Amino acid sequence: MAERVLIFDTTMRDGEQSPGATMTADDKVEIARALDRLGVDIIEAGFPFSSPGDFEAVQRVARAVRRPIIAGLAHANAQAVDACCDAVRVAERPRCHVFLSSSDVHLLYQLKKGPEEILLQATEMVARAKKKVSDVEFSPMDATRTQRDYLVRVLSSVIAAGATTINVPDTVGYTTPDEFYDLIRYCFEHVSGIEKVTVSVHCHNDLGLAVPNSLAAIRAGARQVECTINGIGERAGNASLEEIVMTLRTRHDLYGVETGIDTTKLYPTSRLVSDITGLVVQPNKAIVGGNAFRHESGIHQDGIIKNPITYEIMDPVSVGRSDRELYLGKLSGRAAVRKRLSELGYNLSDEELGKFFAEFKRLADTKKQVTDQDLEALMGEERREERGRYRLENLQAVCGSDRVHRQASVTLVDRDGKRLHRVAQGNGPVAAVFAAISQAVGLKPEPELLDYTVKSITGTAEAQGDVTVQLRADGVVVNGRGVSTDIVEASAKAYINALNRLLEAPALTSV
Ligand code: KIV
Ligand code: ZN
C-alpha cells in the first residue's frame, strides 16, 4: 500500500493572517466541519493565546469536530503554551504546536537572543507542552534561512524533549525545490531521533514556489504538509491544499503517496472559505478558479468534445465541480432546490430549507435562471445575516446627475430587534449608503474604506452583483461581502457584514 502524507490544514490560523480574513468562532466551526468532510488529518484552529475570542474558537472547534487532530499554535513561552494546551485539551486528539525562530537574522534583529538561549527555550517549552498533551509539534521559524548545523541541534533537542512532529517552515518563501529537497534530506541524515517522528513542511508563496517546494519535500521523505484552502495565508499565502492534493493524485506515478482527502469536496470547501473570508479566488487559480476547466480556443473545444482527456488532466467532477450547467427557476420546487444544495455540499434541515426557499423564490422572480453560483451566494448571504449583529431591513437610495439628490436612507435591525434609522448624503448612492450605515451604527473612529469591488456573479444583465469591501478601524482590517440583484443593496450588505466583523474581531496578534 502507498505511504500516506498527512494533510495539516492551517486555513484558520495562517490563513486567518491574510488581511481582512478574520473569522468568528461560528465561522471557524463551519469551516472545521467542512475540513472534516474533506478528510484533512489535522486542523490548526487558531492561536489560543492571541485573544480570548480565538481561545474560545479553538475550543469550540475542538468540541465540534472529533475525527481530525485539532492543533493550536503557541509562541515558545509558558503562558502561550499553557493557553494552547488548555484550549485543545477538550479535543478527541489534541496537539500543541510550539514555534520559535532559529535563523540568525531573527535571533539578531528580532528576538535579540543568542543561539544557546533559544535552543534551551525551545526545548523547555516543548517539554512543558508535553506534560499537558502527548502530541507536540515544533517549528523552528525561518528554518530555510537557519544555519544547518544549528537547525539540526534544535530539532534533535526538541525531539529528545518529546516533540512528535518536527516542522520545517519556509517562513518567508525563500527556498527553491532543489534546495528544499536537499535540506529535508540533510535533516533525515543528521537529526537524531528523526526516525521516531513525523517530518512536516510549511511553505509560503512569496516566490510562487510554495506548492513545488512542498512537493519536493515529500519526495525527500516529509510525510506531513501544512497548507491552506485556496492558498490563503500571510503575505502571498501558504501552499494551496487543493494543488498539493491534486498533484499527488494526478501524478501518483511520480510521488507514489496517498492522502485521505475526498477530492470531490475540494471545490465546495474552496467556495465556503472564499465566502467566509471575503477573499475572492482568482479566475485562473488551479483546481478551484472559475477558468480552471474552461476551454476557450476552438482547437481545445474540438478536442474536449471528442475526448476530454485531450486537454483535461483531471475530471472536473473529481474535484467537486459540476459536469453540467443546471439551472433552477421560479417553477422549481423545494425538492429540486434541496437536491441541488445537497449536491453542492449543503444539507439543510426542513426549517433552514423553508427559510432558504423563500429567498430562492424572491431571487427567481427577478432572475430567470438561478445558477449554482447564485445558490451559493444566497447561502452565504443567509449565513452572514444570521451571524451578524446588524442586518439591513430597508434601503432607499437616490442617484442621478443632480448632485443634491444623491442620498440614502437605511434601516438596520440589531440582534435584539432594535431598529436604527439614518439618512445621509454622499457623492454617489453607494457613498451615501455607507455614510448612513456608519452613522446608524455609530462606530468611533469611523472605519476607513480600504477597498471596494463589484463583480457580477454570472455575467448577465440580470445577474446578482457580488460586492466586497475592506474596512480598517483601530488597526484591524476586515473584509465584508454582500450579494443582491441590486448593486447598491449588495454594497450596503457588504458594508454591514464588514462592520459586523469589526465589532466582533479580536485584535489579531501576528505571528
Ligand atoms: O510561517 C511560519 O513559519 C509559521 C510557523 C508558525 C509554522 O507559520
Ligand atoms: Zn506560516
Side-chain angles (χ1 to χ4, degrees):
M1 215 173 95
E3 267 190 80
R4 169 95 171 243
V5 169
L6 300 174
I7 301 295
F8 177 117
D9 179 277
T10 182
T11 305
M12 299 194 286
R13 198 280 296 168
D14 218 318
E16 196 185 28
Q17 291 171 216
S18 312
T22 49
M23 300 168 202
T24 63
D26 284 342
D27 294 339
K28 287 199 171 185
V29 170
E30 185 168 3
I31 292 179
R33 291 207 163 105
L35 293 172
D36 185 17
R37 288 193 293 274
L38 180 64
V40 307
D41 300 283
I42 301 111
I43 295 176
E44 187 163 60
F47 200 172
F49 189 59
S50 67
S51 70
D54 215 29
F55 183 96
E56 189 215 318
V58 173
Q59 274 209 324
R60 282 195 46 204
V61 167
R63 289 202 174 97
V65 176
R66 307 301 284 174
R67 182 196 54 82
I69 293 172
I70 305 298
L73 182 68
H75 284 114
N77 69 57
Q79 280 175 307
V81 166
D82 292 353
C84 181
C85 294
D86 286 346
V88 294
R89 224 196 310 254
V90 295
E92 190 73 38
R93 300 160 71 201
R95 174 178 295 184
C96 177
H97 178 186
V98 182
F99 76 97
L100 187 60
S101 291
S102 54
S103 65
D104 285 350
V105 292
H106 282 207
L107 265 58
L108 190 64
Y109 297 111
Q110 195 181 14
L111 302 179
K112 302 191 192 316
K113 287 184 177 171
E116 296 313 315
E117 201 182 342
I118 290 294
L119 185 112
L120 188 65
Q121 187 179 339
T123 311
E124 283 179 357
M125 288 307 122
V126 166
R128 185 179 184 101
K130 188 73 180 182
K131 289 200 189 117
K132 295 165 191 276
V133 295
S134 61
D135 184 347
V136 178
E137 171 168 337
F138 179 76
S139 289
M141 192 147 94
D142 206 15
T144 51
R145 293 192 301 167
T146 298
Q147 291 184 32
R148 283 192 178 188
D149 52 347
Y150 182 62
L151 182 64
V152 164
R153 285 184 63 211
V154 172
L155 292 177
S156 304
S157 178
V158 295
I159 292 174
T164 38
T165 298
I166 52 161
N167 182 39
V168 183
D170 182 28
T171 305
V172 289
Y174 178 69
T175 197
T176 64
D178 290 347
E179 184 186 67
F180 203 41
Y181 175 91
D182 197 54
L183 177 64
I184 300 301
R185 289 299 330 147
Y186 186 86
C187 290
F188 273 109
E189 280 152 23
H190 294 86
V191 172
S192 37
I194 198 161
E195 66 292 343
K196 296 187 295 202
V197 301
T198 302
V199 175
S200 169
V201 290
H202 174 112
C203 296
H204 278 271
N205 208 27
D206 300 65
L207 293 172
L209 292 174
V211 170
N213 287 338
S214 305
L215 294 168
I218 290 171
R219 279 202 308 108
R223 287 296 174 264
Q224 176 180 293
V225 273
E226 303 198 353
C227 43
T228 59
I229 300 292
N230 301 334
I232 64 172
E234 187 80 30
R235 305 181 310 281
N238 287 69
S240 139
L241 181 150
E242 55 279 5
E243 292 175 22
I244 292 177
V245 167
M246 288 314 289
T247 305
L248 294 179
R249 180 179 152 143
T250 310
R251 299 309 311 271
H252 191 265
D253 56 326
L254 286 184
Y255 294 95
V257 292
E258 262 154 27
T259 70
I261 296 296
D262 172 357
T263 60
T264 64
K265 302 284 188 309
L266 286 171
Y267 187 62
T269 314
S270 157
R271 305 293 316 151
L272 178 72
V273 168
S274 167
D275 198 57
I276 286 183
T277 57
L279 296 174
V280 176
V281 175
Q282 84 217 40
N284 59 325
K285 167 82 177 62
I287 323 292
V288 293
N291 295 345
F293 292 91
R294 237 173 231 161
H295 303 274
E296 207 55 30
S297 112
I299 295 179
H300 289 213
Q301 288 173 348
D302 176 60
I304 289 286
I305 291 164
K306 289 176 176 147
N307 189 337
I309 62 166
T310 50
Y311 291 96
E312 259 173 14
I313 58 166
M314 295 165 274
D315 178 353
V317 176
S318 73
V319 300
R321 304 181 73 132
S322 175
D323 57 345
R324 67 214 143 102
E325 288 284 302
L326 189 111
Y327 301 121
L328 297 170
K330 68 175 175 196
L331 298 179
S332 307
R334 257 168 221 263
V337 173
R338 184 195 283 280
K339 181 160 178 296
R340 193 63 195 145
L341 283 175
S342 129
E343 284 163 359
L344 294 171
Y346 301 103
N347 293 307
L348 305 193
S349 66
D350 287 346
E351 193 192 329
E352 287 164 341
L353 183 71
K355 206 167 153 237
F356 183 87
F357 193 65
E359 290 303 317
F360 165 80
K361 281 285 178 195
R362 231 189 304 278
L363 178 63
D365 271 342
T366 56
K367 192 170 184 290
K368 237 181 9 229
Q369 295 180 324
V370 179
T371 64
D372 290 350
Q373 292 99 311
D374 288 323
L375 292 179
E376 282 170 345
L378 276 186
M379 284 298 304
E381 207 48 70
E382 293 227 331
R383 178 189 313 113
R384 287 187 285 273
E385 280 204 357
E386 248 165 49
R387 294 190 187 161
R389 187 180 310 178
Y390 297 103
R391 70 178 170 79
L392 181 68
E393 186 182 66
N394 192 273
L395 159 72
Q396 303 296 328
V398 183
C399 63
S401 41
D402 178 3
R403 262 189 79 81
V404 190
H405 288 126
R406 288 170 191 160
Q407 71 171 32
S409 132
V410 297
T411 308
L412 309 183
V413 188
D414 75 8
R415 264 192 208 129
D416 306 321
K418 192 173 137 211
R419 288 192 164 65
L420 306 167
H421 178 73
R422 280 288 184 289
V423 177
Q425 305 206 327
N427 64 1
V430 172
V433 164
F434 288 177
I437 296 170
S438 168
Q439 287 166 25
V441 172
L443 205 70
K444 293 268 177 305
E446 210 175 290
E448 184 188 350
L449 181 66
L450 299 181
D451 195 24
Y452 170 71
T453 316
V454 185
K455 73 182 185 65
S456 100
I457 287 191
T458 43
T460 59
E462 56 169 19
Q464 297 200 83
D466 184 353
V467 174
T468 47
V469 302
Q470 191 169 69
L471 299 182
R472 177 169 55 202
D474 266 343
V476 179
V477 176
V478 293
N479 297 329
R481 192 162 189 180
V483 173
S484 165
T485 46
D486 178 325
I487 59 160
V488 180
E489 186 182 45
S491 305
K493 288 179 168 178
Y495 195 81
I496 293 168
N497 177 229
L499 281 184
N500 282 334
R501 285 180 174 274
L502 268 182
L503 291 167
E504 299 217 355
L508 281 180
T509 310
S510 246
V511 176

